[in-house]
Amino acid sequence: MKVFLPDGNPLELSEGATGTDAAQAIGAGLARAALGIRQNGELRDLGAPLVPDAPIDIVTPKADDADSLWLVRHDAAHVLATAVMELYPGVRMSSGPPIDDGFYYDFEFPDGVAISDADFERIEQKMREHIKAAEEFTREDISSAEAIERFKADDQPYKVELIEDLGVDTVSLYTNGPFTDLCAGPHAPSTKRIKAFKLTSTAGAYWRGDADRQMLTRIYGTAFHSKEELEEHVRRLEEAKARDHRKLGRELGLFWMSDLSPGAPFWKPAGTVLFNQLTGLVRDENAKRGYEEVRTPILTDVGLWKESGHWDKYRDHMYFADVDDRQMGLKPMNCPGHAQLFKSDRHSYRDLPVRMSEAGLVHRHEASGVLHGLLRVRAFVQDDAHIFCTEDQIEQEVIGCLDQGFTIYEMFGFEPTLELSTRPEERIGTDEMWDRAEGALARALESKGLEYAVNDGDGAFYGPKIDLHMTDSIGRSWQLGTVQVDYSMPERFGLTYIGADNAEHTPVMVHRALLGSFERFIGILTEHYAGEFPLWLAPVQALVLPVADRHNEFAEKVVADLVEAGLRAEVDTRSESVGRKIREGELRKAPYMLIVGDREAESGEVSVRRHREGDLGAMALDGFLERARQEVAERS
């Protein structure tokens, strides 16, 4: 039989050859390193029979190879289960997949057993024993009936339920050492391919994600091809922990989360400054580009959502109230309201494009288990905008949205990557509409010479979209903005304009958000900057620190002058040493501290300290103000 190597050259092998045979035929070193194979886009066991006349790629340990990391993390999940099974007799196994940055396994422990981080060293030691033993991963395919009987005999009801729900005649099992698991594979040849691993955390997880089912214990871990990669990952985890916006939000007094309104932040004064500064930025940028700001109700008759098409997709995520015997719903998005505003007036083709913007409060009923600080909430404000235009105007309007996004992101040092998401299986509108919408987005990207990836099937139910992603200062990826083209909603709402031919035409609707939501964006910014916001955004831009009580009067005058000049400034008049005030100012991450003592009070100057930079020396207050104004104006 013949297979083809990545360079296109053929490799002759005997009939029934496996990936192991192919690796050995290429070289002994490759055979020792090989983890698995890729054929026809499928990741498979190294010992799986090869598909004749198909390309083959031998998967080896590489830091940038997602498949090789997937394999060792899958292996590590099974070794974790092996160790737990031996250490905690009577434990019931659920499932344990690899995930983006590691793996986990879910367990039901016997009564009285509670697992915490303190147990990790013991579990890891047992895992190391199985890794050192180089236990092979062996696969067997058996009847579902036989597998059910085996797992029943071992008192593993979760495995039994999984097999029954599969509804298939045969299933595959993988065994490593004393542990056998229900698993579709693939795996690396043996446990010795796990070179570096670490257990990281525990959490509760409902069986099958159902809050009415058993609560299981989830143990998370991660694995890499080398200790150096693992150490770098752990360093990033520690850095991420230090930057956690929930922690910094408490320390910097930005916001408060309460069970009185789960998933809805209470904004404190410092956080409200951030919110208002970003709102002002978006408002200014919108005004430059011809957007008119509008406001729409948060509570409307549910008929609006039925007509828009959102009812079928979003009603399980909406909040409802009965008002005067009418069912009303809190809006989960702003677009239907903007469509009603467009419909309320007559429009000519000469009026188009009509650009509406709204910092609109929306509510979405997210499951309590997924709420996460500001990053996943139930009540949030979107920097939303909708453009009603002719078909000929789509590309230019999309380019304008992207340009505005790039302008805003540049202020934060973000370099976005772009992704074109195409039609999902469940959608509204005709294929012809989708063809035109997807084509318009692709042409807009290509006309600007922008690189982009295609995410097939991930568009909104009403139209395709361009999503803008960024990578923060510690390498995490976030989705920020989105630009979407929608032919369906204007048609469903009966929106029209009078064309040059004096006949009625249906406009196209471009949905656009650039920050996404103010809440999520502030969470991302807080972690990106580790709470050390640029001057224009910082809640307190300057702290004035009198050296002694006799300098308080002069310090308060300095603050008054700063505030009058438009800066956000505070004075610390506590009877504490100036050294302590400086240390606490650093913890507050105030960009500037102005120290005033006898010399400053006499000369009218201030001694300036920059956060992390230290002393900048004495300067006239007017000189400092000019420096600060320029820094604020640059928004950098």
Side-chain angles (χ1 to χ4, degrees):
M1 65 176 287
K2 181 169 57 179
V3 293
F4 293 92
L5 300 175
D7 60 8
N9 288 324
L11 181 66
E12 295 286 350
L13 298 166
S14 60
E15 290 299 318
T18 67
T20 301
D21 297 324
Q24 289 173 340
I26 297 169
L30 179 63
R32 286 192 297 271
L35 298 173
I37 59 171
R38 279 185 288 255
Q39 269 201 304
N40 296 328
E42 181 185 3
L43 182 62
R44 306 172 66 208
D45 290 325
L46 198 60
L50 296 176
V51 178
D53 302 317
I56 180 174
D57 188 12
I58 308 295
V59 178
T60 57
K62 295 177 183 175
D64 59 351
D65 187 302
D67 284 343
S68 68
L69 283 171
W70 191 97
L71 283 166
V72 297
R73 289 168 179 172
H74 195 189
D75 296 350
H78 281 234
V79 174
L80 166 61
T82 309
V84 169
M85 178 190 72
E86 292 186 329
L87 292 171
Y88 302 94
V91 68
R92 289 172 167 176
M93 312 288 187
S94 171
S95 58
I99 53 178
D100 283 347
D101 58 355
F103 61 89
Y104 69 79
Y105 211 106
D106 290 345
F107 305 95
E108 181 189 353
F109 285 93
D111 288 345
V113 175
I115 299 297
S116 71
D117 296 8
D119 300 293
F120 286 173
E121 184 176 350
R122 179 170 176 247
I123 298 172
E124 288 174 346
Q125 179 55 40
K126 181 61 70 172
M127 291 175 68
R128 282 190 283 271
E129 292 175 14
H130 287 283
I131 292 169
K132 186 177 180 180
E135 296 164 349
E136 292 185 359
F137 285 95
T138 58
R139 174 179 174 134
E140 58 179 322
D141 295 288
I142 65 173
S143 71
S144 294
E146 182 183 348
I148 287 172
E149 289 307 311
R150 286 173 63 169
F151 285 118
K152 280 184 176 178
D154 292 337
D155 189 27
Q156 296 296 337
Y158 300 111
K159 302 297 182 183
V160 171
E161 183 177 328
L162 287 171
I163 297 170
E164 290 174 341
D165 285 354
L166 285 173
V168 295
D169 294 332
T170 62
V171 295
S172 57
L173 308 181
Y174 278 79
T175 298
N176 56 285
F179 177 61
T180 297
D181 204 0
L182 172 71
C183 180
H187 281 277
S190 82
T191 58
K192 74 176 181 180
R193 303 304 176 91
I194 305 170
K195 301 300 183 183
F197 75 94
K198 182 179 178 62
L199 300 183
T200 55
S201 63
T202 63
Y206 290 111
W207 169 234
R208 312 297 286 270
D210 186 342
D212 295 326
R213 305 291 299 277
Q214 176 71 30
M215 173 65 82
L216 305 175
T217 298
R218 176 169 294 177
I219 300 178
Y220 285 98
T222 192
F224 288 88
H225 297 310
S226 71
K227 290 182 179 179
E228 292 76 17
E229 292 170 49
L230 176 60
E231 288 169 358
E232 174 61 18
H233 177 76
V234 170
R235 185 197 66 77
R236 286 195 173 192
L237 285 180
E238 291 302 317
E239 179 73 9
K241 198 177 295 184
R243 291 171 178 262
D244 190 317
H245 74 281
R246 295 166 298 180
K247 170 180 175 287
L248 291 170
R250 290 190 300 272
E251 293 173 356
L252 302 178
L254 302 180
F255 63 93
W256 177 57
M257 306 299 289
S258 168
D259 287 340
L260 293 171
S261 185
F266 289 70
W267 289 100
K268 294 186 174 184
T272 303
V273 170
L274 294 175
F275 202 101
N276 289 340
Q277 288 299 111
L278 290 172
T279 302
L281 167 65
V282 171
R283 182 172 284 134
D284 291 347
E285 294 299 321
N286 284 342
K288 293 175 187 176
R289 292 166 173 81
Y291 287 87
E292 296 181 295
E293 192 166 1
V294 299
R295 304 291 292 168
T296 56
I298 64 168
L299 188 68
T300 60
D301 190 289
V302 297
L304 176 70
W305 309 102
K306 293 177 180 178
E307 192 175 2
S308 69
H310 287 95
W311 178 259
D312 294 330
K313 292 286 293 184
Y314 279 97
R315 66 181 172 210
D316 292 339
H317 298 283
M318 291 179 65
Y319 294 98
F320 299 99
D322 290 326
V323 182
D324 298 333
D325 297 324
R326 296 171 66 188
Q327 189 179 23
M328 310 285 280
L330 286 175
K331 65 177 178 180
M333 61 278 300
N334 298 300
C335 36
H338 291 189
Q340 298 309 302
L341 283 175
F342 183 89
K343 191 176 183 177
S344 68
D345 294 317
R346 290 176 58 83
H347 297 278
S348 159
Y349 70 97
R350 294 187 182 89
D351 302 325
L352 304 187
V354 171
R355 304 184 185 99
M356 297 182 190
S357 66
E358 177 177 9
L361 176 64
V362 298
H363 291 77
R364 297 181 188 174
H365 183 217
E366 301 282 3
S368 58
V370 303
L371 298 178
H372 183 80
L374 299 177
L375 303 179
R376 195 72 177 265
V377 291
R378 289 174 172 170
F380 55 96
V381 176
Q382 288 185 306
D383 68 316
D384 230 343
H386 295 92
I387 302 166
F388 301 89
C389 62
T390 68
E391 189 161 14
D392 292 341
Q393 294 169 332
I394 295 174
E395 291 173 42
Q396 199 56 42
E397 291 304 309
V398 169
I399 289 170
C401 293
L402 296 175
D403 286 344
Q404 184 175 356
F406 298 151
T407 297
I408 290 175
Y409 301 152
E410 187 178 0
M411 297 177 189
F412 306 99
F414 297 164
E415 297 181 2
T417 58
L418 307 179
E419 186 176 77
L420 173 59
S421 297
T422 58
R423 68 195 74 185
E425 287 189 15
E426 294 184 19
R427 58 183 183 269
I428 59 177
T430 65
D431 285 344
E432 190 263 341
M433 282 181 177
W434 280 87
D435 289 341
R436 284 150 55 198
E438 289 172 357
L441 288 178
R443 287 192 299 273
L445 289 166
E446 289 158 9
S447 69
K448 291 284 289 183
L450 298 171
E451 294 184 5
Y452 65 95
V454 176
N455 187 3
D456 286 323
D458 200 44
F461 75 92
Y462 49 77
K465 58 180 181 169
I466 299 170
D467 289 330
L468 297 98
H469 302 259
M470 57 76 71
T471 301
D472 70 11
S473 59
I474 57 172
R476 295 169 300 180
S477 178
W478 303 95
Q479 182 190 325
L480 299 177
T482 186
V483 182
Q484 307 169 355
V485 172
D486 179 4
Y487 282 85
S488 297
M489 200 174 298
E491 187 176 83
R492 292 173 78 98
F493 279 128
L495 307 186
T496 61
Y497 68 91
I498 303 301
D501 57 2
N502 212 33
E504 287 190 342
H505 298 268
T506 302
V508 181
M509 192 173 180
V510 177
H511 305 242
R512 186 232 72 189
L514 298 177
L515 303 189
S517 81
F518 288 99
E519 285 76 3
R520 186 165 181 265
F521 195 75
I522 289 172
I524 291 170
L525 283 185
T526 302
E527 298 193 353
H528 179 69
Y529 289 123
E532 298 174 6
F533 300 106
L535 186 64
W536 70 271
L537 197 54
V540 175
Q541 296 167 317
L543 280 174
V544 180
L545 310 180
V547 173
D549 291 347
R550 65 180 180 275
H551 306 123
N552 287 350
E553 183 178 350
F554 178 63
E556 287 170 350
K557 180 181 181 304
V558 170
V559 166
D561 290 344
L562 295 174
V563 170
E564 186 177 353
L567 291 185
R568 296 182 290 277
E570 292 181 6
V571 62
D572 185 347
T573 57
R574 295 175 302 155
S575 297
E576 301 284 357
S577 70
V578 72
R580 180 167 182 175
K581 291 179 183 180
I582 290 171
R583 286 193 298 275
E584 292 183 2
E586 290 287 338
L587 291 174
R588 289 185 65 181
K589 305 181 191 297
Y592 284 104
M593 284 176 274
L594 309 184
I595 299 155
V596 294
D598 290 335
R599 184 181 61 188
E600 288 80 13
E602 186 175 328
S603 66
E605 294 182 326
V606 290
S607 292
V608 181
R609 286 182 63 92
R610 190 68 163 92
H611 179 61
R612 285 196 180 276
E613 295 178 23
D615 289 326
L616 301 183
M619 59 181 74
L621 186 60
D622 285 346
F624 170 74
L625 283 172
E626 181 57 33
R627 175 193 176 105
R629 284 196 197 99
Q630 184 174 345
E631 195 173 333
V632 168
E634 290 173 355
R635 274 179 169 156
S636 60

